[in-house]
Amino acid sequence: QQVHLYHLIRARAHHYRSGGHNHFLPSVPLVYSNHVLEALLNTSVDLDSLEPDSVLEERWIKEVVTRSGMKFRWAKLSESRVKPNRDVDKKPLGDPFLLVPRPPVVTIMGHVDHGKTTLLDSLRKSQIVSTEAGGITQHIGAFLVQLPTGEKITFLDTPGHAAFSSMRARGANATDIVVLVVAADDGVMNQTVESIQHARRAKVPIIVAVNKCDKPQSDPQRVKQELLAHDVVCEEFGGDVQAIHVSALKGDNLLALVEATVVLAEVLELKAEPSGSVEGLIIESRTDKGRGPVTSVIVQRGTLRRGCVLVAGRSWAKVRFLFDENGRAVKEAGPSAAVEVVGWKELPSAGEVILEVESEQRAREVVEWRTYVEEQEKLQEEQSAIELKQTLHLDEYKKERAGLTHLSWRQRKAALYRANKTKFATRPSERTQTDEPKLPLVIKGDVDGSVETLLNILDTYDAQQQCELELLHFGIGDVSENDVNMADMFTGSIYGFNVAASKSVQQLAAKRGVSLRLHSVIYKLIDELKDELSSRLPPLHSENVVGEATVLAMFDVSVGKKKVPVAGCRVQKGQLDRRLKFRLIRGRDIVWEGSLATLKHHKDEVQVVKSGVECGLSADGDVDFTSGDVIVCFEELEAQQVTSWDPGF
Ligand SMILES: Nc1nc2c(ncn2[C@@H]2O[C@H](COP(=O)(O)OP(=O)(O)OP(=O)(O)O)[C@@H](O)[C@H]2O)c(=O)[nH]1
């Protein structure tokens, strides 16, 4: 629509530029008039009355614009002036004397099923976690471990490299140390190597947790040797990487792992300024029914307190409450602490950087500036997209004109008008339906991080020669009726991660035949998605030849008043099976293909005739057999294609 409006306005501008003559069509190429006609389709303009020299009137443009739900205003291009930058930036590092040691922030990574979640659970349940006695820990994306000696560690509890990379994609990094979990009974696998690469790219040191050491078949030594091939050199091989043998399941040696982390943190000399403006990173964000937009935040600098004014992305907050992982309201959170922050005006995204500003007015100013910058960027993008489309249309126009030159202008207009009218008359769902396999998707997740993780995984999908994946909509929260309507309109499916669907939504989906899949384990969701992608691929057809016979002689047999040609044959290879398909080959040509009407051995009608046996057969259809013809019996096989997509899960 935008393109059409663009052409409409371009056409008008062209008219002005060309000296204000009241004719647009002769001086405006057909490519414009094609789209101008399309834009004018549902307006009060009588298209049949349009002539090559018709005037594109300003009131028509206004009508098209207002009917599109937009406001109409002529703008002078020279009006655009550059606004002064009102953004807020990270402050340079302060006086080194003001820096104090801070706890490390640790991410657990590793191959699927090597025990990341079990390790996090065991750490959370262990004595060393600072849980209130009998208290229930809440999921806020991170938790604190405190050693009897007083040292603290913050563990991010969203395992996996997908979450890590979505944060890195924004150029932010909350992690100081990566604990690489490798199962001692499985060794170094794909995602172990990927995790090493992620850590390396982020310049974050590794501690190896050799897990599942309780298993009899475990071989920790082998793990450490395999790691050598990826330049992870453990201490016993003369390197500086600590490797701790643990059993996440039994809780064995977890203290040693935590102590090793503290030792590494000391070497890293992690420090931060506890005073001054707050800086941090959002690790999760979600909308809470009672409390509105809530984020989990890792503080990286300064001390976060109630009343602080924060900016993150295009949202700001005056901090109303801070909660720790025990759901306890806290007054403040210093460097490396993870807290839930309540008080956001809108929901910022995970991975966004948090910066403190001096006042609410300043926060509004920053958000306004960032919104302005984003709009400008979008406009730029749209402009480029429009220009690209325009070039494509120009090519189309040239081709169209080449094919239409023999027509008068009136005939050409009618042809284009008809083509556009049919395009408009079809519903979007029908319009998008093609023979190409396609899977339109609606993705819903509980928190921003999980949706982002899913989107990152979908990014790895390459639709070449496969089923096209079309993302209709994604968002946070339970599956809604709107999601079902959207999926229904485009014959798509809904995938939810850690979200629910109310009974009425489920009933609606069932009624409309919309597949609704809810999961709480990412790789299961991906497995199901792969299955669905595979199911939308056309089946692969193949043939299996089961027998061959040669025609020895022909007879005509009377069936009622009709004479039916019958071939007397000998089966040379395999067998002939009446229920399968047959092909008659003469020389190199296929003369006929189809089913048999009869297959007889002597006088008896039979299902199967084996190799070496003679038989008589007639075709279901008109066929003249000749001696020397070859009859091939074959079965048609149909196999489901399987998508070759491997997201590495
Ligand atoms: N024997 C034994 N089994 C373990 C140990 N740690 C984890 N497991 C088992 O290994 C399986 C996978 O563990 P998870 O913690 O789910 O592995 P994960 O790496 O988080 O897997 P994803 O979340 O799928 O990436 C589970 O059945 C665990 O019970 C261990 O130390 N010893």
Side-chain angles (χ1 to χ4, degrees):
Q1 211 170 17
Q2 224 160 14
V3 174
H4 302 152
L5 285 177
Y6 174 78
H7 284 305
L8 199 64
I9 289 160
R10 271 290 298 257
R12 181 67 179 184
H14 194 101
H15 152 70
Y16 276 123
R17 269 206 307 275
S18 58
H21 303 295
N22 272 355
H23 307 288
F24 82 92
L25 282 169
S27 55
V28 177
L30 194 61
V31 60
Y32 297 144
S33 57
N34 181 358
H35 291 286
V36 171
L37 285 173
E38 201 172 296
L40 291 174
L41 260 180
N42 294 314
T43 63
S44 58
V45 181
D46 177 11
L47 290 184
D48 284 337
S49 68
L50 279 185
E51 292 298 330
D53 56 354
S54 293
V55 179
L56 180 61
E57 293 177 24
E58 191 169 313
R59 62 191 169 95
W60 298 349
I61 301 181
K62 276 187 179 161
E63 194 179 336
V64 173
V65 173
T66 39
R67 272 179 185 242
S68 311
M70 291 181 250
K71 288 208 175 89
F72 182 91
R73 188 160 66 94
W74 284 109
K76 282 194 211 114
L77 284 173
S78 57
E79 241 179 34
S80 64
R81 60 197 155 88
V82 183
K83 283 195 186 188
N85 186 339
R86 302 297 298 153
D87 208 353
V88 57
D89 270 328
K90 284 190 172 185
K91 302 252 179 329
L93 270 186
D95 188 343
F97 289 109
L98 295 176
L99 300 179
V100 296
R102 64 171 178 85
V105 180
V106 177
T107 301
I108 293 185
M109 298 173 93
H111 192 69
V112 65
D113 271 352
H114 278 196
K116 300 178 289 291
T117 314
T118 314
L119 181 60
L120 280 166
D121 284 348
S122 303
L123 283 168
R124 207 182 285 121
K125 278 188 228 130
S126 66
Q127 298 295 320
I128 42 180
V129 173
S130 65
T131 315
E132 274 186 331
I136 303 162
T137 48
Q138 312 221 342
H139 175 86
I140 66 161
F143 61 89
L144 192 72
V145 159
Q146 186 160 20
L147 285 171
T149 44
E151 285 100 343
K152 293 175 180 167
I153 303 172
T154 299
F155 279 95
L156 293 185
D157 70 357
T158 326
H161 57 255
F164 192 80
S165 52
S166 40
M167 214 164 265
R168 291 274 312 151
R170 289 170 199 267
N173 184 21
T175 309
D176 301 307
I177 294 171
V178 162
V179 168
L180 180 69
V181 179
V182 191
D185 60 341
D186 202 19
V188 171
M189 305 298 281
N190 284 350
Q191 284 159 41
T192 318
V193 179
E194 275 173 30
S195 305
I196 295 171
Q197 287 162 351
H198 274 300
R200 218 162 255 156
R201 251 178 259 135
K203 298 198 172 61
V204 175
I206 290 173
I207 291 180
V208 180
V210 185
N211 192 28
K212 306 200 185 181
C213 286
D214 58 300
K215 285 194 158 182
Q217 66 271 40
S218 73
D219 186 354
Q221 219 48 37
R222 197 190 90 202
V223 169
K224 287 183 267 183
Q225 256 153 7
E226 285 176 352
L227 284 170
L228 283 174
H230 303 282
D231 286 337
V232 176
V233 187
C234 296
E235 283 171 337
E236 60 187 277
F237 294 112
D240 57 0
V241 178
Q242 303 179 80
I244 317 295
H245 299 189
V246 297
S247 164
L249 192 67
K250 301 219 159 127
D252 295 346
N253 231 13
L254 294 191
L255 191 59
L257 177 65
V258 172
E259 280 168 351
T261 314
V262 170
V263 169
L264 180 55
E266 274 166 13
V267 174
L268 295 175
E269 290 190 38
L270 304 169
K271 286 185 176 168
E273 205 178 330
S275 55
S277 307
V278 176
E279 280 177 25
L281 203 60
I282 296 182
I283 50 173
E284 279 190 15
S285 68
R286 69 195 158 86
T287 304
D288 185 284
K289 274 195 188 110
R291 300 183 294 173
V294 180
T295 60
S296 299
V297 167
I298 292 268
V299 179
Q300 293 177 307
R301 187 176 177 180
T303 302
L304 187 53
R305 296 190 175 87
R306 283 174 63 176
C308 280
V309 182
L310 305 175
V311 181
R314 283 181 293 111
S315 178
W316 68 277
K318 176 159 183 168
V319 179
R320 282 200 293 145
F321 298 107
L322 297 170
F323 295 100
D324 65 9
E325 71 261 36
N326 299 313
R328 225 172 17 182
V330 288
K331 285 214 177 80
E332 55 178 45
S336 294
V339 273
E340 268 194 335
V341 176
V342 179
W344 294 98
K345 305 296 161 196
E346 271 165 54
L347 191 68
S349 302
E352 212 85 74
V353 171
I354 290 180
L355 296 171
E356 185 181 1
V357 292
E358 53 277 17
S359 64
E360 292 185 30
Q361 197 210 331
R362 178 79 183 103
R364 282 195 204 97
E365 203 174 80
V366 172
V367 168
E368 200 180 300
W369 164 257
R370 290 181 177 180
T371 313
Y372 166 76
V373 169
E374 199 183 64
E375 272 170 10
Q376 293 300 309
E377 283 168 2
K378 259 200 197 140
L379 275 178
Q380 280 271 320
E381 260 172 43
E382 277 170 12
Q383 186 62 28
S384 319
I386 286 173
E387 270 158 22
L388 180 72
K389 277 207 168 157
Q390 199 192 345
T391 327
L392 294 176
H393 279 132
L394 197 63
D395 287 347
E396 232 173 68
Y397 152 69
K398 282 180 185 156
K399 273 189 220 143
E400 233 166 45
R401 199 166 60 167
L404 292 175
T405 39
H406 62 285
L407 299 177
S408 70
W409 188 83
R410 193 178 281 277
Q411 284 169 317
R412 254 184 261 171
K413 189 179 76 178
L416 289 171
Y417 177 62
R418 269 198 308 277
N420 286 331
K421 209 167 185 174
T422 41
K423 201 167 14 159
F424 268 80
T426 43
R427 283 189 21 221
S429 56
E430 291 159 355
R431 225 193 294 171
T432 52
Q433 259 174 20
T434 58
D435 290 341
E436 294 302 313
K438 189 181 211 176
L439 176 56
L441 279 186
V442 174
I443 298 278
K444 296 301 284 278
D446 56 340
V447 290
D448 212 31
S450 55
V451 174
E452 187 141 356
T453 301
L454 283 173
L455 297 185
N456 279 346
I457 294 170
L458 293 185
D459 268 352
T460 67
Y461 185 76
D462 175 10
Q464 268 183 358
Q465 297 166 0
Q466 291 200 336
C467 176
E468 189 188 333
L469 235 173
E470 185 188 22
L471 191 58
L472 296 174
H473 170 66
F474 61 87
I476 302 171
D478 288 348
V479 179
S480 67
E481 289 195 1
N482 272 344
D483 297 330
V484 177
N485 287 335
M486 167 107 62
D488 179 36
M489 180 135 101
F490 293 92
T491 35
S493 297
I494 304 171
Y495 282 78
F497 180 69
N498 273 344
V499 293
S502 70
K503 219 175 185 146
S504 63
V505 168
Q506 289 189 14
Q507 280 166 349
L508 181 68
K511 198 169 125 201
R512 301 274 185 81
V514 170
S515 103
L516 170 60
R517 296 149 199 262
L518 304 177
H519 285 276
S520 55
V521 181
I522 285 201
Y523 78 85
K524 289 195 178 142
L525 186 152
I526 298 301
D527 276 352
E528 197 159 25
L529 179 60
K530 277 162 73 178
D531 286 348
E532 193 175 7
L533 282 165
S534 302
S535 74
R536 293 210 176 193
L537 293 175
L540 286 175
H541 293 281
S542 62
E543 270 180 32
N544 178 30
V545 172
V546 297
E548 219 177 274
T550 32
V551 178
L552 305 175
M554 289 79 55
F555 319 94
D556 275 338
V557 174
S558 305
V559 178
K561 280 185 191 158
K562 253 176 88 183
K563 287 220 182 304
V564 177
V566 170
C569 314
R570 178 194 292 278
V571 181
Q572 306 289 6
K573 284 186 213 154
Q575 59 182 34
L576 304 189
D577 186 330
R578 227 199 97 154
R579 292 158 294 193
L580 301 179
K581 281 272 160 79
F582 287 80
R583 182 175 292 144
L584 184 68
I585 297 170
R586 186 167 302 147
R588 293 178 159 209
D589 301 330
I590 298 173
V591 184
W592 164 83
E593 205 173 274
S595 308
L596 292 189
T598 55
L599 178 65
K600 288 193 173 174
H601 179 58
H602 301 306
K603 295 251 166 284
D604 305 327
E605 188 69 36
V606 289
Q607 287 285 10
V608 173
V609 182
K610 297 234 150 79
S611 168
V613 178
E614 290 188 358
C615 61
L617 56 85
S618 68
D620 187 6
D622 264 352
V623 186
D624 279 328
F625 299 102
T626 310
S627 68
D629 283 354
V630 174
I631 290 184
V632 174
C633 173
F634 63 96
E635 60 185 337
E636 284 178 320
L637 302 176
E638 205 179 90
Q640 181 59 58
Q641 285 195 66
V642 177
T643 176
S644 60
W645 178 38
D646 178 13
F649 258 77

